Amino acid sequence: MRNELLAAPVDMATALFSPSRPFSRKVQKWIYMHSGNCQKVIIHFASPLKRTKLYKVLLQTGPVHCFSTGSSKLQNNKLSFDKSDPICSQSRSHTSHDHPITLTKDHMNDLEDQLQELFNEVKSLLVEGNKASAIDLLQANFMAVKDQIDAGLRGIEQAATLDVIALGFMGVGDFKSVDSLLEMMQEIVSCLHNDDPLLDSVLMHMGSMYTTLGKLENALLVYRRGLEILENIFGNTSPFLITPLMGMAKVFGLTGRATKAKEMYLRAISILETNRGVQCEDLVIPLFGLGNLFIEEDQAAEAESSFKRILSIYEKLYGENDGRVGTAMCSLAHALCAKGAVNEAISLYRKGLQIIKDSKFMAIDDVVLEKMRTDLAELLHVAGREQEGRKLLEECLLISEMYKGNEHPSSVTHLLNLASSYSRSKDYIEAERLLRTSLQIMSKTTGPDDHSVTVPMLHLAVTLYDLHRDEEAESLAMEVVRIREKASGEQSLAVGEALDCLVSIQNRLGRDDDKLLTLLKRILGIQERMLGSESEETVTTLKKIVFLLDKMGRKDEKMPLQRRLSMLRTKYKQKVPI
């Protein structure tokens, strides 16, 4: 029996081999803020959550807290330890796993003050835009503490000092240096005892930095140790557990372990409700994380409940016209969208954005506000209200050009979005103009062979295909493949995406079927490895291969793939349309 996909070969060929728009998103998966933005926009932890003195400093990692313990002096902005001091002497004992002597409060406060002074100086230099001086200061202090480590001092003092230096390099954006510092810190903290003063806080910072660097398993290990330390000191229901619980929840979420992430969020919520009450503002962060997880897991009703609770907390604390209420409305709008209530979501989104604007809660060019406008624009397109959506996208572009200039790279995103909007309306000429403008900006900014240039380039190839200018489209698609292979490797998902577009173009040009089949098999291998053997993308490529094999009369090769598609249809039924 012939497979259903072969029932109408001409129409199916057109459908199968029409290139899709790069980086399309499903409306059910919308989440307008990640946890880092959440901290910036709507979340403010109260200081009692920490048992140590708080020093809130906004660097690239978000709010961080500097502290440490020991005896030191700041000389010419460099930390130096007194080797004759008993506190430094006890550091040596850590290398042989002897239990350290008790650190006095004066010693703790002394080094804490010195580290805070150093951190504040780095912060001030970065705020002033004096990045070079900030780097010089961090490097000088690194050399000072490295001398101590080389001399055998490997205690909490050295770990805490490296911690502050690493946080400074995070603010500078030098992730390579942060990675090296974390290796040194890990060697030291692995030899420290869990009852060493403030070790738990150093571990929390390490977890945050590991997460930023994408070393998620390392982050999980230090968060777990920090959680164990705090549980032993304060018990299993203390608010001090919130930081490691939230860190672990984020890592679990990023690594696809949604059940474990929910467990962490729910435990954090329970602790806060017990200690602070059911209407405390600190509940917003875990509720927000939990709501986003519910959306990702297609549990729209549960997500709606989480975001409604956030909205209720903010309305009660700040009144209905506060900017935080507006952001909560936008979060709730996503849950409503996932639930299928698109028009209700649009209405709530507009109301939330109006509150944010009226309250002046965010600057007009704030990146989070820009993201919310863009998401609403896409939602309007999904609802068939392209003109309204396009107006919002034009507003985003105008604001970007007004504050950053006409040829700033940030405008490329808005140009791409506008081009996609015009393509939806089949105005491919205007889409081409916008895409060529974005490609010109990226080529000037990053150079012709940078990976980022391939984003507008691939969009332009698809638009030229829509205009039936296939030779030009093929040339661009081949250039995208070349750049991405060089930048990301021949087996990367980005290369697979570009190859998929190239196959569609070359199929219509009537290129050699054997070469097309070779490319499709290469795409299939990339998708199976990177996305899984049952992903939607893999299934689509399988259908293309089956169609091409049937066209070539290679039935023996076609039959096993047909059976695989049939099994997927039986397993997933409507979830995987074959």
Side-chain angles (χ1 to χ4, degrees):
M1 178 181 291
R2 293 171 61 86
N3 191 286
E4 291 176 17
L5 73 91
L6 302 176
V10 176
D11 292 338
M12 183 57 68
T14 301
L16 281 178
F17 288 94
S18 294
S20 59
R21 297 278 159 191
F23 310 112
S24 61
R25 292 188 301 168
K26 294 182 180 179
V27 73
Q28 291 84 356
K29 301 293 183 183
W30 282 355
I31 305 170
Y32 83 87
M33 288 189 298
H34 57 67
S35 58
N37 288 335
C38 180
Q39 184 81 17
K40 176 182 176 184
V41 178
I42 56 175
I43 310 303
H44 303 282
F45 263 120
S47 57
L49 280 176
K50 288 280 189 180
R51 64 188 176 95
T52 56
K53 185 178 179 181
L54 294 187
Y55 303 94
K56 294 194 175 182
V57 183
L58 279 174
L59 289 178
Q60 190 158 340
T61 54
V64 295
H65 317 297
C66 291
F67 54 81
S68 191
T69 175
S71 177
S72 70
K73 296 180 180 179
L74 197 67
Q75 300 174 345
N76 298 321
N77 280 334
K78 288 200 298 183
L79 284 164
S80 64
F81 294 94
D82 183 356
K83 295 182 182 179
S84 64
D85 189 279
I87 302 306
C88 285
S89 298
Q90 69 86 21
S91 296
R92 295 186 180 91
S93 69
H94 287 223
T95 61
S96 61
H97 297 275
D98 294 331
H99 198 280
I101 64 174
T102 302
L103 300 179
T104 67
K105 182 177 180 180
D106 288 343
H107 286 131
M108 294 169 65
N109 290 337
D110 187 23
L111 184 57
E112 182 177 359
D113 290 342
Q114 307 308 319
L115 290 173
Q116 186 59 46
E117 185 179 344
L118 169 62
F119 197 83
N120 287 342
E121 180 65 19
V122 174
K123 174 195 171 186
S124 297
L125 290 170
L126 292 176
V127 170
E128 294 167 3
N130 195 347
K131 183 177 177 180
S133 294
I135 292 173
D136 289 342
L137 181 57
L138 291 167
Q139 288 177 338
N141 279 277
F142 169 71
M143 295 307 299
V145 72
K146 187 176 183 299
D147 287 342
Q148 301 299 320
I149 293 172
D150 291 342
L153 306 178
R154 295 172 180 254
I156 187 63
E157 302 89 344
Q158 287 71 40
T161 305
L162 289 173
D163 183 28
V164 172
I165 295 169
L167 291 170
F169 276 115
M170 287 294 290
V172 171
D174 185 353
F175 291 169
K176 185 176 180 180
S177 293
V178 174
D179 197 13
S180 298
L181 287 164
L182 282 170
E183 286 186 18
M184 296 178 66
M185 292 169 65
Q186 183 57 46
E187 289 182 10
I188 295 174
V189 300
S190 64
C191 297
L192 298 181
H193 297 275
N194 280 0
D195 57 357
D196 276 321
L198 303 176
L199 174 60
D200 57 296
S201 295
V202 172
L203 292 170
M204 294 305 99
H205 291 163
M206 291 178 68
S208 176
M209 288 186 279
Y210 274 134
T211 302
T212 301
L213 295 180
K215 296 191 171 185
L216 302 179
E217 293 306 320
N218 298 68
L220 193 59
L221 289 174
V222 293
Y223 277 134
R224 276 177 172 157
R225 185 179 177 190
L227 178 62
E228 179 184 346
I229 292 171
L230 291 169
E231 286 176 332
N232 288 336
I233 297 173
F234 299 106
N236 294 328
T237 60
S238 169
F240 297 136
L241 308 184
I242 299 300
T243 298
L245 287 173
M246 294 299 296
M248 292 172 69
K250 181 176 182 179
V251 172
F252 282 133
L254 290 171
T255 54
R257 289 172 276 185
T259 300
K260 294 295 294 183
K262 290 176 189 175
E263 181 183 321
M264 297 296 104
Y265 283 128
L266 289 171
R267 184 179 175 190
I269 290 169
S270 176
I271 290 172
L272 288 169
E273 287 176 336
T274 301
N275 289 274
R276 305 284 171 78
V278 296
Q279 286 290 324
C280 78
E281 187 174 357
D282 297 333
L283 283 165
V284 170
I285 289 181
L287 284 170
F288 185 86
L290 188 62
N292 281 342
L293 276 176
F294 281 137
I295 288 180
E296 291 175 7
E297 295 291 301
D298 294 324
Q299 296 176 276
E302 289 82 355
E304 181 183 5
S305 177
S306 293
F307 292 125
K308 277 186 174 178
R309 189 170 175 190
I310 293 173
L311 179 59
S312 174
I313 290 171
Y314 277 141
E315 285 180 335
K316 184 172 182 179
L317 291 175
Y318 299 105
E320 295 183 354
N321 297 318
D322 187 83
R324 281 159 286 212
V325 171
T327 61
M329 285 181 174
C330 292
S331 296
L332 179 57
H334 281 284
L336 293 174
C337 179
K339 192 178 176 181
V342 175
N343 289 327
E344 186 180 351
I346 291 172
S347 176
L348 189 60
Y349 224 137
R350 287 195 181 281
K351 184 176 180 180
L353 287 172
Q354 189 63 48
I355 290 174
I356 293 171
K357 179 181 178 180
D358 293 342
S359 65
K360 296 182 172 60
F361 183 64
M362 297 184 208
I364 190 172
D365 62 331
D366 188 283
V367 292
V368 176
L369 183 57
E370 178 183 88
K371 181 70 166 61
M372 289 190 282
R373 284 193 296 261
T374 302
D375 282 350
L376 174 56
E378 187 168 355
L379 183 55
L380 286 164
H381 279 81
V382 170
R385 296 157 64 174
E386 284 88 355
Q387 290 293 336
E388 295 176 68
R390 198 172 299 148
K391 185 177 179 181
L392 269 176
L393 294 177
E394 289 170 347
E395 180 183 344
C396 289
L397 177 61
L398 181 63
I399 291 170
S400 177
E401 291 178 339
M402 183 186 304
Y403 284 90
K404 299 176 183 178
N406 291 340
E407 295 190 348
H408 193 275
S410 63
S411 64
V412 170
T413 299
H414 308 305
L415 288 166
L416 290 173
N417 286 334
L418 275 169
S420 295
S421 175
Y422 280 108
S423 291
R424 286 177 63 101
S425 301
K426 301 190 183 304
D427 188 349
Y428 301 122
I429 298 297
E430 180 62 15
E432 180 192 0
R433 184 189 70 81
L434 293 166
L435 290 169
R436 290 197 182 278
T437 301
S438 63
L439 181 56
Q440 182 181 18
I441 292 172
M442 292 307 301
S443 296
K444 284 183 179 180
T445 304
T446 64
D449 285 340
D450 189 90
H451 189 284
S452 58
V453 172
T454 66
V455 178
M457 191 179 290
L458 192 59
H459 277 273
L460 181 56
V462 175
T463 299
L464 291 172
Y465 175 92
D466 291 328
L467 288 167
H468 291 272
R469 289 154 60 183
D470 296 336
E471 296 284 352
E472 292 180 75
E474 181 186 32
S475 178
L476 278 175
M478 291 175 70
E479 181 66 3
V480 171
V481 172
R482 182 191 69 79
I483 294 173
R484 290 188 176 183
E485 284 180 336
K486 183 178 179 180
S488 306
E490 294 186 356
Q491 298 302 311
S492 68
L493 200 56
V495 170
E497 178 189 44
L499 287 171
D500 190 57
C501 179
L502 179 61
V503 166
S504 298
I505 297 167
Q506 291 185 336
N507 178 70
R508 194 162 74 180
L509 283 167
R511 301 302 188 211
D512 183 77
D513 285 340
D514 284 315
K515 292 182 178 179
L516 290 177
L517 183 61
T518 299
L519 289 179
L520 284 171
K521 288 181 177 179
R522 181 180 169 190
I523 295 167
L524 181 65
I526 292 172
Q527 292 171 338
E528 287 177 329
R529 185 173 60 260
M530 303 298 293
L531 303 174
S533 60
E534 298 177 354
S535 68
E536 182 179 346
E537 293 82 358
T538 300
V539 169
T540 300
T541 303
L542 277 171
K543 289 194 281 188
K544 292 179 182 180
I545 293 174
V546 168
F547 180 87
L548 196 56
L549 287 171
D550 184 75
K551 176 186 174 185
M552 299 167 70
R554 294 161 65 169
K555 295 183 178 180
D556 290 343
E557 295 178 54
K558 180 187 72 173
M559 292 306 297
L561 297 179
Q562 273 191 317
R563 284 194 294 269
R564 180 177 169 185
L565 286 170
S566 180
M567 289 173 63
L568 286 171
R569 181 176 61 238
T570 301
K571 182 175 181 179
Y572 289 104
K573 295 182 180 178
Q574 299 302 318
K575 288 188 177 181
V576 183
I578 304 301

